[in-house]
Amino acid sequence: MYEPDTAAILPEDLLSTASTDDQPSNPAAHGQEEDRLPLDKVARPPVRSRLPVSVEPVLFLSTFALVLQAPLVTQYLWDRISDELGYNGSRRSECNSSEPADPLQKQVETLTAHWNLYINLGGFSVGLLVVPLLGSWSDLAGRRTVLILPNLGLALQAAVYLVVMYLKLPVAYFLVGRLLSGLSGDFNAILAGCFAYVADISDRKSRTFRVAVLEACLGLAGILASIIGGQWRRAQGYINPFWLVLATNLASALYASLVVRESVLPDPSAKLLTTRHHKAVWRLYSTGGSGIDGDRSFCRCKLWLYSLCFFVVVTVHSGSRELYVLYELSPPLCWGSALIGYGSAAQNLAYLTSLLGLRIMQLCLEDSWVALVSLASNIIGLLVFSVADSTQLMFTGYGLCFLFMAVTPVLRSKLSKLVDPSEQGSLFASVACVETLCYLVGSGIFNSLYPATLYFMRGFTFLFAAILLLIPAGIIGTLQCLDQRRELRDSPE
């Protein structure tokens, strides 16, 4: 038979392209084929992987390396700056301490925070230009390159950090490594590529859960890296953990190169260095996505509103997360390192419980209602944190937040369904940039609000975060009601 021979010769991801090139001349048969297969799918055939995983190991390994590296960089900066200034004390947060603050320690803290800010802003400013470029380019050139290149850039960054540590170079060279990583897309390009890949290979029904699995990889990698990183640094210092960071990024790039199959049909003529890619991101939000209802204006409105919801949710998540340790160190809780570690583990465990909860709720609820349940879980937990004055109440708050991460995969999935298959890379590249902006905005707002409100309510910042989450809850609920009303109006009597 001819078809089995063709299947034996052609790669599976090119089969649909081969079949469209050899269409029968019968007009009726051609019309039936057009009815059966949408045009965008003919031009961009999706890959249905036979493996239970696709890009999940790429995201897991990259996240593991990032989470392992981040606190080590901060601690290394502290130690190097302390040596340069002649400070030989230790970082302490003693409850009810009456000792005056050491001015030299304050100087070390300030310089460490400043260098952290310079390094992060350097990577963010470069990535803000590069990530949309790579994301939109991947819609034409394929996803695998966008998964490989940033991992190589992160490996190069780790190599620069190792050189700095071996040769005791000035900490300013850390910024060089961060800029090199930013030029290759940094971790945000990996996020964009992985989520776009999952959007390529999944259908509308399964997309939310596949996105949630990717988000669970973030949490699982965070738990593992947090456990390994601190213990290893205390035992062997900084250099050996950074060799693992380098090896993990190279392993992620190797997996993407050898195992991950292309999910779009690459265009060899696609150019990377062109303004067309940034214009594609702008056009995405200015003209709106495709939409299944054909109303592009309503689709564009939903695109902006769901993006606003995503911005508020991630800003609250990132901003409040930075305050948990500070809140727990202060009186009346006065937690030690052990309890802080348990609290961090409970928080990261919510990635897995949110995945399980989302899967169960999808059996009886639509995605919008799942998102509202997740927001309710987060709001209730934050309200408990705002009044927590005991260890029991703090862990009760962590327990009530067990579904708080289910809302972000729903929002990513809803955004993905609003755009064409040829725009998934542009969409998730813009979402990745928004996510980075959320971390900066959340850090600035919440770290400024917390000390300003201590004199009248220690937990006011968590109360403020809970109030902010009412905004996306109202938007998601309203849009869901409007969609249901449109479906009832358009359905045949």
Side-chain angles (χ1 to χ4, degrees), residues 337-476:
S337 58
L339 282 176
I340 290 174
Y342 295 146
S344 177
Q347 188 180 27
N348 285 309
L349 188 62
Y351 281 93
L352 302 180
T353 56
S354 295
L355 174 65
L356 179 61
L358 183 144
R359 188 60 169 173
I360 294 174
M361 288 188 290
Q362 278 189 321
L363 299 176
C364 56
L365 295 174
E366 294 188 17
D367 284 352
S368 293
W369 304 123
V370 173
L372 290 177
V373 172
S374 173
L375 288 170
S377 169
N378 200 355
I379 290 171
I380 295 172
L382 287 169
L383 290 176
V384 173
F385 289 140
S386 68
V387 297
D389 57 359
S390 66
T391 297
Q392 290 78 10
L393 267 181
M394 278 301 296
F395 278 105
T396 300
Y398 282 127
L400 291 171
C401 284
F402 75 107
L403 291 175
F404 88 104
M405 284 306 302
V407 62
T408 47
V410 170
L411 290 172
R412 292 185 199 269
S413 176
K414 283 186 171 294
L415 288 168
S416 173
K417 295 173 184 177
L418 290 171
V419 303
D420 290 324
S422 61
E423 298 172 321
Q424 297 294 334
S426 299
L427 171 71
F428 284 109
S430 62
V431 169
C433 290
V434 168
E435 198 165 356
T436 303
L437 184 62
C438 290
Y439 290 126
L440 295 177
V441 173
S443 177
I445 292 177
F446 284 83
N447 281 303
S448 301
L449 187 63
Y450 180 75
T453 57
L454 283 175
Y455 71 97
F456 68 89
M457 182 179 178
R458 286 186 64 251
F460 177 81
T461 309
F462 298 117
L463 178 62
F464 175 71
I467 294 172
L468 282 181
L469 289 181
L470 294 176
I471 298 174
I475 293 175
I476 294 171

Side-chain angles (χ1 to χ4, degrees), residues 198-269:
V198 164
D200 292 335
I201 66 172
S202 61
D203 53 30
R204 297 177 64 88
K205 184 177 180 181
S206 64
R207 188 168 303 167
T208 301
F209 181 71
R210 290 299 302 267
V211 171
V213 170
L214 279 180
E215 299 237 4
C217 290
L218 297 174
L220 189 60
I223 295 174
L224 185 60
S226 298
I227 294 173
I228 293 176
Q231 300 293 335
W232 199 358
R233 188 202 69 81
R234 281 193 293 269
Q236 297 185 352
Y238 296 101
I239 291 179
N240 287 340
F242 266 92
W243 277 112
L244 179 60
V245 171
L246 175 61
T248 303
N249 282 317
L250 291 176
S252 181
L254 189 64
Y255 177 90
S257 176
L258 300 180
V259 180
V260 175
R261 300 168 57 198
E262 189 54 76
S263 62
V264 299
L265 188 62
D267 179 5
S269 63

